Structure formats: C-alpha cells, structure tokens
Amino acid sequence: MSVIENNEEQNDQAGKEVVSRHFIRQIIDKDIAEGNCPVVKTRFPPEPNGYLHIGHAKSILLNYGLAQEYGGQFNLRFDDTNPTKEKTEFVRSIIEDIKWLGADWQDRMFYASDYFEAMYEGAIRLIEKGKAYVSDLTAEEMREYRGTLTEPGKDDPNRERSIADNLRLFTEMKEGVYRDGEKVLRAKIDMTSPNINMRDPVIYRVAHMSHHNTGGRWCIYPMYDFAHPIEDAIEGITHSICTLEFEDHRPLYDWVIRELDYRPAPKQIEFAKLYLTNVVTGKRYIKRLVEEGIVDGWDDPRLVSIAALRRRGFTPESLQLFVDLCGVSKSNSSVDYAMLEYCIREDLKLKRPRMMAVLDPIRLVIDNYPVDMTEEMVISNNMENEGLGTRTVPFGRELYIDREDFMIEPPKKYFRLFPGNEVRLMNAYFVTCTGYDTDEQGAVTTVHCTYDPATRSGSGFNERKVKGTIHWVPVKQAVKAEIRLYENIIDEEKGVYNEDGSLNLNPNSLTVLSECYLEPSLATAQAYESFQFVRQGFFCVDAKDSKADGLVFNRIVSLKSSFTLPK
Ligand code: ATP
Ligand code: MG
C-alpha cells in the first residue's frame, strides 16, 4: 500500500479540493520535456529570525526531495536581506536542523547578502532603462497613493524624474546622504494594476543599520520581492518553490527577471503551508513562550520546532513519512497532530527495543521465592523484529510494578492483580496475589503474592491460562529515572490568548514523574536514544537534562492511537 495513494484518498474523503501531490512534479516534467531545464535546481531560503519548525521541514524535504529525484541540486540560502531581525544563533540552529533532517546542500550554502552588489547593479540598470525612480514620499503618503483593491493608485509626484536625477539620488542614498525613510527606490510598473504588488513597489529603502554579514558596508537594503528573484537567478535555480501567500507576488517576480534579462528564467511555484491542529506553530507565539520562560527554550519538547521534535524523540524518517502523507496541495488546511504521532509510532515500532519500565511504582514481593535467588530472564528485544536480538533481565523476589496494575476492589473486566487473582509477570512466572500492605493513609505500598515455578515463560506450561500480563522491574537492579509526560501547551483551535491577553496555557502540558524504575540495561542509554516501554509508549533520553547518574526520558508518544490510515 503506497503512502502517496493514501494521501490522495484522504483528501478525497475530507471533501477538500484534490490537487495531485504531483502537481509540482508535473510542472518539472514538462519543463524537462520541453528542454527548458537540463538540471533541476531548488533551494530552501530561510530567514534567520527564529528556529525552524515542522512547516519548514516540509519545505526542506520537498525541495531537497525534488532535487534528489531529478538528479539535480539543492541549495541552502539564508534570506538575510532584512538586517533588523537576523541573528547568528538562528543561522547555527538552522544549519543543524537541516543537516539532521538529512537534506544535503553539499558546498552550496549561500547568503542573500552575498548578492547585495549584484542587486545594487540591477537597481542601477532598472533606473537606466527608465524602470525605476527615487521617491520622496513618506510611508504614509505612499499608502494614500497606493489605492485599494477596488480603486486604482495615483502616480507618485516623482514618477517622471529624469534618469540622470534618479541615478544621482540613488547613489546618494547609497552614500548615506539620507535618513531612514527619507527616500526609497520604486519600480516603475503600473499604478492602475489590479494587483497592488505591481503598483510601483518599493525595491530599495534606506536603513542605517549594521548587518550580521556585511557589517556597516550598506545603508540601503533591497526589499524581498526585488531581492528574491535575483538570488534565484544568480544561483541558477530552476524551480523556486514557496508558499501560497506569494502567489500574488509572482507577476513582480517575473517582472524583475524579465527586466533584468536573466536567462533561463527561474519559475516560482506556490504550495499551501502546512498547519497542524492543536499546536502552536507561529514563530510569534513560540517566541513569547520562550521569552516569558513558560517553556525551556526553543527546543522545549512541547513545541514543534525541529529542535524540539528532535529533543522529544522524533526521527528524520518519521518527519519524512509525515510530509509524504500530507502531500503537496494548493489549498490551505490543517493536518491532525495525531497523524504526526502515527508517523513516529510507525517508524519506531520495529526499529527500537521494547523494554520494561515502571512509571508509578509499588513493590511486589513474591513470598515463596528464595530470598537470595536471581534468575536471568532472556527476553526478545522486539517480538515483531527478531533481528534486534535478545537481552537478559534479572528476576528476583522483590519487583516494582505499576500502581495501576493492582486494585484492592477491581471493577468488572479488570484482569490485572487483585487479591486472589493470578496473572503473568511478563517473560517470567504466573503469580497469585495473596495480600497487600498499606501506609497510614491507606495507600498500597506492597503487594504480596506467590509464584508457581512450573509456569516459567518459555517452559511450555499450558495447564491453565491467565487473562492479564503485567510488566515489572527487579528492585535490586532497577535504574531510577525521571520521566516527563507531555500534552499540548496551547491548543491553537481553542484560542491562543485569554480575554486579558495572557496565554491560554494547558496546566497539564508537562507532568514530571521523578521516581520511575527501569530495567538495568537502560542504564547506559545515550542522548536521543529511544525505546518502547511496553504498555506505556515510546520514550527518548532527553539530550539537555539527562545525566549518566540521573537519566531523564521524554515520552514521545503513547501507544494508543486515535489516528488510522483510511483503508
Ligand atoms: P514563519 O512565519 O512560520 O516563521 P516564514 O515563512 O516567515 O514562516 P521563512 O524563514 O521565511 O519563514 O521560510 C522559509 C521557507 O519555508 C519559505 O520558502 C516558506 O515558504 C517555507 N515555509 C514557512 N512556513 C511553512 C509552512 N508552514 N509550511 C510549508 N512551508 C513553509
Ligand atoms: Mg518569512
């Protein structure tokens, strides 16, 4: 069963507009067939003003995947034309995240600021062609002149300035003669165009600001819509893939390419952004959570930045499966968070060992088991994948079991331990509950039972059956650990803000279980290593807080799923 076919059916079932996930491929196929594109070249152009998130992962894997598929090239280009917001910390994190995802730009990592000189020359060429002019309008006047969706704009009073004057004024802009906002360079296109982006857009502005790459070299900076096509053209990008909000900017993109006579012309193609239900994806919200100290940085495992997903225990393969399932579409929609959980379960279920861990411990004492005896139980690491081999787990008289696996007065259909009942201890023996101890508050501290030596797992015993199987960890050899359980920090659908402007936080987004016990082979688990804890879910060693003598695990996802692939 192919993932791709499924995706299309899924869109069908949801009654949404069905756009083949191949629509970008079809465009590329056609360009190749017509001989317009000897080598497919794509790029990912992040603005280094924050950490990358799951939506960016989609864009990266799409661009890289297409380059791979067509034997082409994939570039990484930092879109750093706006000097106010960019930070080198973000450049570093972006590089790390893209590498982790597995997208390989080889030696082609660029900065838009590398091309400032070419952009400046491009602006000069436009002026010389009579296609750009310096304007004295203030930002507010510019808005008034621009018109609206229903009314055309008015010509700028400086629109007919001579080429010589424009060249002189633009040079003066570059030389720092003017203050911020005092003058701009506008493209001379059409103030009556129905597309507002074509009404003589600003292409250069004065900004006396230091830039993280070029320092104080420039005090004029190009606008995104002018800069981006030039960046693409210089790098020989054939298919410039971006998100839908740029659809109305495409005529301007094409205008810049045409007027500056770049050949072959790169082609802008838009697709819908990825949105997830029940989680915050917006950089703005995440920034506030980080700044108010509500989360533990951009990589807090409750967030969906790539760094956070990685720390939580997601894998590059699970994200690839996820974006494949989402498909590529032209209509905006939200994808269920449960689908992301489905993908990580699918990826890990056969790859990772299944271990025993007790999250909320009580003691189980087998009163008829010899005090000093230990047996080494040989346990398959993954019953569905014998290739993962076996391990041994020591078994003894005193064990930890999970509190919820024992009840004094069980409800109907409770097949785990209660007085008089017999269950299987996973991979070990049948035990029958004979009693229990409680503390002063009446909480159970110890469960007593007896075992039947004939029932050892693997012995072929079949004289009687039990309905319940519970997991355990030996008290003497257990490894103590902290385990963190997560829920969504903010449900975007229920509203990010309260009426008073505070964030609408989920008080249960983080639960810390500080006294959990793991089987001893987990003592050497390394950062980012993940496991299934039987009956509990998938867990990953926290890369920030886990220490050799104080292991910390994140729950990636529970075992239960509310998401199923449509048949
Ligand atoms: P955000 O506002 O979420 O930070 P952005 O568009 O400002 O996103 P950029 O760094 O400018 O972030 O984006 C880099 C690339 O990633 C762009 O090509 C953009 O279209 C793409 N991208 C951003 N968000 C998404 C998303 N949710 N789904 C798919 N692609 C996205
Ligand atoms: Mg942006």
Side-chain angles (χ1 to χ4, degrees):
M1 177 176 58
S2 131
V3 156
I4 294 155
E5 284 161 14
N6 255 311
N7 166 64
E8 283 170 2
E9 281 168 35
Q10 217 173 306
N11 284 344
D12 255 332
Q13 288 185 351
K16 290 181 196 123
E17 181 196 351
V18 180
V19 178
S20 160
R21 83 181 278 287
H22 295 286
F23 84 96
I24 297 180
R25 287 202 185 103
Q26 283 170 15
I27 295 172
I28 298 177
D29 288 342
K30 189 158 174 274
D31 289 337
I32 292 173
E34 289 171 359
N36 298 330
C37 175
V39 183
V40 173
K41 293 187 186 173
T42 61
R43 87 287 172 264
F44 176 67
E47 194 181 343
N49 63 350
Y51 279 63
L52 298 181
H53 55 60
I54 180 96
H56 297 117
K58 175 167 183 172
S59 178
I60 294 162
L61 294 173
L62 174 63
N63 279 292
Y64 178 64
L66 288 168
Q68 287 288 96
E69 196 179 320
Y70 288 95
Q73 289 180 354
F74 165 79
N75 294 2
L76 169 59
R77 182 204 310 143
F78 287 101
D79 203 325
D80 60 350
T81 51
N82 181 356
T84 51
K85 292 182 285 184
E86 289 128 12
K87 281 213 194 116
T88 33
E89 181 205 345
F90 297 134
V91 169
R92 185 199 53 74
S93 75
I94 289 170
I95 290 175
E96 196 176 309
D97 290 344
I98 302 176
K99 274 195 184 152
W100 176 77
L101 272 177
D104 184 5
W105 59 86
Q106 297 173 341
D107 58 351
R108 293 180 305 278
M109 183 178 98
F110 305 113
Y111 288 89
S113 54
D114 297 341
Y115 314 130
F116 278 168
E117 199 64 53
M119 292 168 191
Y120 178 74
E121 285 163 16
I124 298 274
R125 254 187 293 150
L126 289 183
I127 296 173
E128 285 168 349
K129 286 174 74 176
K131 297 283 182 160
Y133 59 95
V134 173
S135 167
D136 308 337
L137 293 186
T138 63
E140 201 183 317
E141 287 166 332
M142 193 93 67
R143 258 192 303 280
E144 283 163 24
Y145 275 77
R146 189 166 52 208
T148 64
L149 285 175
T150 48
E151 291 162 49
K154 282 189 299 188
D155 280 0
D156 188 309
N158 309 121
R159 202 171 197 264
E160 301 308 328
R161 254 187 184 138
S162 70
I163 289 173
D165 280 354
N166 281 319
L167 283 174
R168 178 179 51 80
L169 290 168
F170 187 54
T171 310
E172 286 174 0
M173 278 170 68
K174 180 188 174 225
E175 284 167 355
V177 175
Y178 304 108
R179 293 183 313 269
D180 291 6
E182 205 178 332
K183 295 216 182 321
V184 293
L185 184 71
R186 301 182 74 172
K188 192 173 184 176
I189 309 180
D190 179 6
M191 287 308 294
T192 64
S193 170
N195 183 341
I196 292 184
N197 296 303
M198 299 299 273
R199 293 185 191 167
D200 291 12
V202 173
I203 57 175
Y204 257 97
R205 65 192 172 115
V206 177
H208 292 270
M209 260 185 263
S210 166
H211 185 280
H212 77 111
N213 239 10
T214 56
R217 193 152 161 246
W218 296 89
C219 65
I220 52 170
Y221 290 96
M223 303 304 285
Y224 178 90
D225 282 340
F226 176 65
H228 207 84
I230 296 178
E231 295 155 24
D232 284 341
I234 291 174
E235 291 177 19
I237 299 303
T238 54
H239 298 88
S240 175
I241 299 169
C242 63
T243 39
L244 280 186
E245 72 273 22
F246 290 102
E247 198 165 20
D248 292 343
H249 298 240
R250 192 186 334 131
L252 180 51
Y253 182 100
D254 292 340
W255 183 90
V256 172
I257 294 291
R258 206 168 49 242
E259 292 301 333
L260 294 179
D261 203 21
Y262 280 115
R263 268 180 284 201
K267 187 177 263 181
Q268 177 179 306
I269 305 171
E270 310 85 17
F271 73 101
K273 273 195 173 180
L274 169 68
Y275 293 102
L276 275 181
T277 58
N278 306 326
V279 287
V280 278
T281 41
K283 234 181 249 175
R284 200 155 48 99
Y285 305 134
I286 295 178
K287 207 157 169 248
R288 186 159 163 201
L289 291 167
V290 174
E291 279 166 3
E292 292 187 12
I294 294 162
V295 294
D296 170 30
W298 286 89
D299 61 354
D300 186 291
R302 290 167 289 182
L303 302 175
V304 288
S305 62
I306 296 178
L309 290 166
R310 177 179 181 210
R311 183 171 164 203
R312 175 97 171 241
F314 282 83
T315 57
E317 293 83 359
S318 65
L319 299 185
Q320 178 76 58
L321 175 61
F322 179 68
V323 305
D324 286 346
L325 275 176
C326 290
V328 181
S329 148
K330 273 265 188 195
S331 57
N332 279 318
S333 64
S334 281
V335 176
D336 198 338
Y337 185 80
M339 189 160 109
L340 184 59
E341 296 188 320
Y342 165 85
C343 293
I344 186 67
R345 281 192 203 98
E346 277 302 296
D347 184 44
L348 297 182
K349 80 178 179 198
L350 297 183
K351 270 200 222 163
R352 306 300 307 149
R354 300 176 181 179
M355 319 288 266
M356 295 193 286
V358 170
L359 272 53
D360 184 8
I362 52 173
R363 274 170 191 258
L364 179 87
V365 179
I366 307 171
D367 291 304
N368 65 339
Y369 193 90
V371 176
D372 292 324
M373 190 160 99
T374 303
E375 289 177 83
E376 296 294 336
M377 300 299 184
V378 178
I379 300 180
S380 164
N381 283 329
N382 189 323
M383 302 273 269
E384 293 177 67
N385 178 7
E386 293 299 336
L388 289 187
T390 59
R391 69 186 184 285
T392 58
V393 183
F395 181 84
R397 178 183 160 96
E398 292 200 20
L399 309 171
Y400 290 114
I401 62 168
D402 254 303
R403 185 172 295 280
E404 62 173 31
D405 284 337
F406 173 77
M407 285 187 100
I408 301 170
E409 288 173 26
K412 271 198 176 133
K413 300 209 170 153
Y414 184 86
F415 299 121
R416 294 173 258 172
L417 271 180
F418 53 88
N421 194 41
E422 186 173 48
V423 300
R424 175 187 289 286
L425 291 175
M426 194 175 279
N427 303 301
Y429 294 100
F430 286 13
V431 290
T432 304
C433 178
T434 53
Y436 57 90
D437 304 332
T438 55
D439 62 14
E440 279 133 38
Q441 284 78 43
V444 175
T445 53
T446 306
V447 176
H448 291 276
C449 60
T450 55
Y451 85 119
D452 178 353
T455 58
R456 184 171 166 152
S457 171
S459 66
F461 176 84
N462 65 358
E463 279 162 37
R464 56 181 194 280
K465 298 241 178 291
V466 286
K467 282 197 169 149
T469 299
I470 66 175
H471 63 278
W472 49 274
V473 169
V475 168
K476 217 192 296 173
Q477 297 87 351
V479 176
K480 194 171 165 192
E482 175 180 313
I483 292 183
R484 299 173 181 172
L485 308 179
Y486 301 103
E487 286 179 21
N488 298 324
I489 188 159
I490 290 180
D491 188 335
E492 209 155 27
E493 294 193 336
K494 293 202 183 104
V496 174
Y497 298 110
N498 295 314
E499 272 174 20
D500 65 358
S502 61
L503 291 160
N504 182 14
L505 300 172
N506 171 4
N508 303 318
S509 64
L510 170 65
T511 304
V512 177
L513 305 174
S514 52
E515 201 195 333
C516 304
Y517 291 101
L518 318 177
E519 57 172 272
S521 53
L522 284 161
T524 53
Q526 301 295 311
Y528 296 113
E529 210 178 342
S530 60
F531 304 88
Q532 183 180 134
F533 291 167
V534 287
R535 302 174 65 218
Q536 318 263 16
F538 290 97
F539 294 77
C540 174
V541 179
D542 188 80
K544 219 165 170 176
D545 298 332
S546 193
K547 309 267 176 322
D549 58 352
L551 288 175
V552 178
F553 281 82
N554 299 312
R555 182 164 73 189
I556 312 169
V557 67
S558 66
L559 292 178
K560 288 183 216 88
S561 175
S562 57
F563 175 84
T564 45
L565 275 180
K567 288 257 149 48

